Amino acid sequence: MPLHEAVAGSEWWRSGVIYQVYPRSFADSNADGMGDLNGVTSKLDHLKNLGVDAIWLSPFYPSPQKDAGYDVANYTDVDPLFGSLADFDVMLEKAHELGLRVMIDLVPNHTSDQHPWFQEAIPAEPGSAARAFYHFKDGRGESGELPPNNWLSLFGGPAWTRTDDGQWYLHLFDSSQPDLNWENPKVREAFEDILRFWLDRGVDGFRVDQPHAMGKQAGLPDHPYVETAGAGFIEGEPDPPMWFQDSVHEIFRSWRKILESYDGERAMCGEAYVLPLTKMAQWVRPDEFHQTFNFRFLDSPWEKDSVVAAINESFHAFDQVGAPSTWVLNNHDTIRHASRFGGDYGRATASDGIGPDSPQPDNALGLAKARAATLFMLGLPGASYIYQGEELGLPEHTTLEAKNRQDPTFFRTNGERVGRDGARVPLPWEKGGSTNGFSTSEEAWLPQPESFASLSRDQQGQEGTTLWLYKRALELRKQRKLGEGSFEWSSQEGLLCHQNGSTLVVHNFENSAAELPAGAVLLSSAPLEGSKLPANASCWLAI
Ligand code: NOJ
């Protein structure tokens, strides 16, 4: 009996491949050095051609851009930096014409401090209705000079900032990102309207930012083990008062109902960093999220035991609730896997980045492992996420100078954690010029490293390139229905193998080439050595 049986449901989000577009770094249409929606529209056919089913757009809303748009000042408009609502509609229509679904980012845990709700709250009285949109509290100490509790910001430093009238407001991220108070029914209503606004426009769903932070324990008590967990949590310890609160589930249920009142299999994926996965599965019960990112898989070091454990736990947990597992190796918050796998950089989601003073990755090893890991991942049943640029084998920009840094993590830790800019560098489309086809301006918002020129999309048509590997894998995945398939481990000396229907997915975690099992080779992440699969390579066989 397979560990995971082919699922009955045929909805697209159970098995689709979703490509994350990071708008500011995708393509620039108006020569200001910043990507935009018209840039996305102009390149959609490349994504169709790549073979993905859907795109997810990171935020493009009006924003002071203190956290690259995850600080939203208006949830129902487009920042002029990225275009207009009309440009959005054109993009959506073109995507739909091409058969691509479009998910957009919803950021409900916090707003920008420039959002009218917060702008109204700041001059309002303590205890007023305007302040009740957020978490405003009196401080501790004789004159309230100490923060109301010991919570820390995930970007470094305390999670509280004091206002001129002496109260403090909560921000689990930057001080420019005040946390909303989800106990307030007005906040709930406002977000239901926001969902409808975009669903009416035709979006296919939402990627929901930090949903596990939305609920806060009543009274906002101290984090019981902040000394060891910092802003986070430790698996096995009790849930800290700002993570995984049960009060959030009824919010997701109400959203699910709204999505289901629309036609066309609209879906939401929660960026729910919830562990263990058995708990995460509670978030994808049939009336809550359709999917959540599989951070357990993303955070696994690319080592045999850890990958095996992550996969086993994923199927056990998600199958219990009839939800698909998702698989993901990169996003705009992690060190790109082509660099991450070329060194020892800890958890992918630690958001620490690699700076000029850090040990530099072994790029050749990183890329070999990254290509193999992706081929292994795309052979797994469930939905998969790809982050823009990984199909080109792009490395992290590891030598960005301090003057180029924009991530609040860098500033809130005085440069101790360089942060995530290195994964957010503009894409190279055509080799040459100052931005390799990203923009016609002299400069992009972040400079590209030299290696991007030869990795440009126009340099990668031929067999063996990373772009070719991704395209071929997505084509075969579709033909062989791997996304909808089943999963069972298959034992083979020296190789890690799993079977998905009539496809055997093989990875070589050993130090030397190993004999492939019987079967016709469909695709390999590295040239075979006769009948042997090299170390750090994956391959698909028809059996
Ligand atoms: C998760 C997003 O992916 C990240 O980029 C952002 O900084 C935080 N949430 C805060 O919104």
Side-chain angles (χ1 to χ4, degrees), residues 477-490:
R477 175 180 159 102
K478 208 154 259 165
Q479 277 166 17
R480 304 180 72 79
K481 299 194 182 322
L482 301 183
E484 299 97 303
S486 57
F487 179 96
E488 63 189 309
W489 293 113
S490 162

Side-chain angles (χ1 to χ4, degrees), residues 339 345 354-358 360-361 363 395-400 405 422 449:
S339 299
Y345 299 110
I354 304 176
D357 301 331
S358 323
Q360 295 295 300
N363 287 321
E396 183 85 356
H397 193 332
T398 57
T399 53
L400 272 175
R405 296 272 165 203

